[in-house]
Amino acid sequence: MTIDISLAQARRFLASYHFAQTNLPGVFERLGTVQYDPLNPVGRNPDLVFQARVTGYQVDDWQQMAYTDRLIYDAWDKQALLVQMRDDYTTFCRSTMNR
């Protein structure tokens, strides 16, 4: 089934979908992974992504989720990224490494 929408409707939908306020686990449920770039010209990428989506987020809040709570981990797939522990991405990576 094809749905015809205008460019303005598509922009509104994508902006409301990707920038809806949530918590850190909610960001991973919505986006799947978050690119990790340690360079800091104006802020590290994970911090910029989370600040745009999580009310009250402070720089490096994600590190507790990764290194204390162990709910996310850093991985590599053509780029460094943060992945949720229960994400299907983990299964995908393991299956491709065994080939």
Side-chain angles (χ1 to χ4, degrees):
M1 171 174 23
T2 302
I3 299 173
D4 292 323
I5 60 173
S6 70
L7 286 175
Q9 290 172 314
R11 284 187 197 106
R12 246 188 331 274
F13 169 76
L14 290 172
S16 66
Y17 179 82
H18 285 292
F19 294 104
Q21 292 296 300
T22 185
N23 56 16
L24 282 174
V27 173
F28 285 95
E29 288 172 19
R30 190 166 293 261
L31 300 180
T33 63
V34 175
Q35 179 182 353
Y36 178 75
D37 187 352
L39 298 178
N40 190 0
V42 295
R44 290 185 192 97
N45 188 63
D47 293 321
L48 297 174
V49 169
F50 297 136
Q51 285 173 337
R53 293 166 174 84
V54 178
T55 304
Y57 177 85
Q58 298 294 314
V59 172
D60 291 335
D61 278 355
W62 67 268
Q63 290 192 13
Q64 177 177 344
M65 204 173 152
Y67 303 119
T68 303
D69 303 337
R70 307 277 188 203
L71 298 174
I72 60 175
Y73 64 97
D74 44 4
W76 188 261
D77 181 23
K78 300 178 215 68
Q79 64 186 8
L81 44 89
L82 301 172
V83 182
Q84 200 171 19
M85 277 296 192
R86 64 180 183 79
D87 193 358
D88 293 336
Y89 181 83
T90 307
T91 306
F92 168 76
C93 283
R94 288 185 181 150
S95 68
T96 57
M97 288 190 316
N98 293 332
R99 291 183 188 172

